């Protein structure tokens, strides 16, 4: 497994740690046999993330959809992993600044 693939799989692990109830569904979705479900779900999540300003949808859908899309498109794994890592770090920095008195 290459360094890029290991980093990509670590993003799934980070998502599972962040939202523990997603652990089992994500494990199923990553299986090869789930391609007919995973690909439309990834596309729907990505499109839903673009409409984050609507009440039911959220910006969280965009990285989740792109992460699922990268499972099937290996050339997206590196850029998607990098973008998700950077966004998580930026969010953590922002939260730390907001917590300071």
């Amino acid at each position: 497994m290459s360094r890029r693939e290991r980093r990509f799989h670590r993003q799934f692990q980070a998502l599972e740690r962040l939202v523990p109830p997603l652990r089992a569904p994500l494990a199923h979705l990553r299986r090869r046999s789930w391609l007919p479900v995973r690909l439309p779900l990834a596309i729907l999540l990505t499109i839903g993330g673009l409409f984050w300003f609507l009440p039911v949808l959220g910006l969280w859908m965009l990285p989740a959809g792109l992460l699922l899309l990268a499972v099937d498109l290996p050339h997206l794994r590196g850029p998607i992993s990098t973008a998700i890592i950077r966004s998580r770090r930026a969010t953590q920095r922002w939260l730390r600044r907001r917590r300071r008195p």
Side-chain angles (χ1 to χ4, degrees):
M1 188 180 297
S2 72
R3 180 176 168 228
R4 181 179 281 178
E5 289 178 11
R6 285 193 307 268
R7 185 171 69 169
F8 177 70
H9 290 292
R10 282 195 306 265
Q11 297 314 305
F12 273 105
Q13 292 168 354
L15 185 60
E16 290 170 354
R17 281 192 308 271
L18 188 63
V19 188
L22 288 180
R23 184 170 289 139
L26 283 178
H28 289 300
L29 281 173
R30 283 189 282 180
R31 292 183 186 158
R32 237 183 239 286
S33 61
W34 281 71
L35 175 67
V37 174
R38 184 177 53 238
L39 197 56
L41 179 62
I43 292 169
L44 286 174
L45 283 171
T46 304
I47 292 170
L50 295 175
F51 293 103
W52 61 269
F53 53 87
L54 295 174
V56 178
L57 308 174
L59 192 57
W60 63 270
M61 297 172 84
L62 185 62
L66 290 173
L67 193 61
L68 281 177
L69 195 59
V71 170
D72 299 315
L73 302 173
H75 63 279
L76 282 180
R77 290 179 185 165
I80 296 300
S81 294
T82 302
I84 290 174
I85 290 169
R86 287 182 180 173
S87 67
R88 270 196 359 241
R89 287 179 183 165
T91 303
Q92 289 170 352
R93 282 193 304 268
W94 181 78
L95 288 173
R96 273 185 295 214
R97 277 186 266 153
R98 297 230 349 143
R99 288 183 189 152
R100 290 184 191 156

